Amino acid sequence: MHLREKDLAGGTLVEAARELRRALGGGVVLLVNERVDVALMSGADGVQLPESGASPRDVRVLAGDRLLIGRSVHDAAGAERAAGQGADFVLAGHVFDSRSKPGLAPRGSALVREIARACPIPVIAIGGIMPERVSELLDAGAWGVAIISGILAADDPEAAARRYREALDAWDSSLGGANGDQGQR
């Protein structure tokens, strides 16, 4: 789960993150967008950094190994930098047409393939991903997918989330368990 709320004051955001952490329990990873202080104070599992934000290396100085660190990237060079600076994973996008990136051309699964080949850490694809495209991205080297509007804008978000889970599970099953060493998506 990724908490991305740019308009809340720090104290309110900490309380929201704490409440979300309690509601999610221990079985779901909670990432806070950009706010390392909020992630640390709230007991979140990690932080997601924008490509132009603080470096993963600087966050490690502050947080040590207490937080997972993700970095948004848009090309292989950015992914290599993120890995070299100590990020645990990269969020690569946007791969398909997305309402959050109007007017920007998507880069498709080729972006994921390019980044996965260059980057030694897990690559999570984001941007306009529908369940029927999940296997394409995993085949291209993505470790997983991040979904926003595919679930939140759905008439039935629970059913939508289930379709994504089924797409991930179908891909894992098609490998006969070969993907098991990558951990739970």
Side-chain angles (χ1 to χ4, degrees):
M1 173 70 66
H2 182 166
L3 176 58
R4 185 176 187 201
E5 180 53 65
K6 297 178 180 185
D7 297 327
L8 289 182
T12 305
L13 188 55
V14 168
E15 286 308 313
R18 285 179 178 154
E19 184 57 34
L20 189 54
R21 171 77 285 156
R22 280 190 292 275
L24 292 171
V28 176
V29 172
L30 174 61
L31 303 174
V32 174
N33 198 68
E34 195 168 5
R35 296 290 305 266
V36 179
D37 58 337
V38 172
L40 289 168
M41 288 184 278
S42 68
D45 301 294
V47 63
Q48 178 63 34
L49 304 172
E51 193 163 36
S52 61
S55 78
R57 182 174 290 119
D58 290 338
V59 172
R60 278 281 174 241
V61 170
L62 182 62
D65 290 332
R66 292 185 293 172
L67 297 177
L68 289 169
I69 300 174
R71 168 73 112 190
S72 296
V73 299
H74 302 92
D75 57 32
E80 289 178 288
R81 267 191 311 279
Q85 293 174 350
D88 295 301
F89 65 93
V90 294
L91 198 62
H94 73 284
V95 293
F96 302 122
D97 282 324
S98 172
R99 285 185 253 178
S100 66
K101 304 287 184 188
L104 292 178
R107 305 267 312 275
S109 59
L111 172 68
V112 173
R113 184 173 291 105
E114 173 190 342
I115 290 174
R117 286 182 179 157
C119 187
I121 58 179
V123 176
I124 311 295
I126 191 168
I129 301 167
M130 301 307 294
E132 59 272 11
R133 305 294 297 266
V134 167
S135 63
E136 173 186 344
L137 295 168
L138 298 175
D139 287 343
W143 182 87
V145 294
I147 311 300
I148 301 170
S149 61
I151 294 174
L152 295 180
D155 291 337
D156 184 347
E158 183 178 346
R162 195 170 21 263
R163 284 191 295 279
Y164 285 101
R165 178 79 252 175
E166 289 166 356
L168 289 165
D169 291 344
W171 188 83
D172 280 340
S173 295
S174 73
L175 296 179
N179 197 38
D181 64 333
Q182 290 186 1
Q184 184 69 30
R185 285 186 170 65

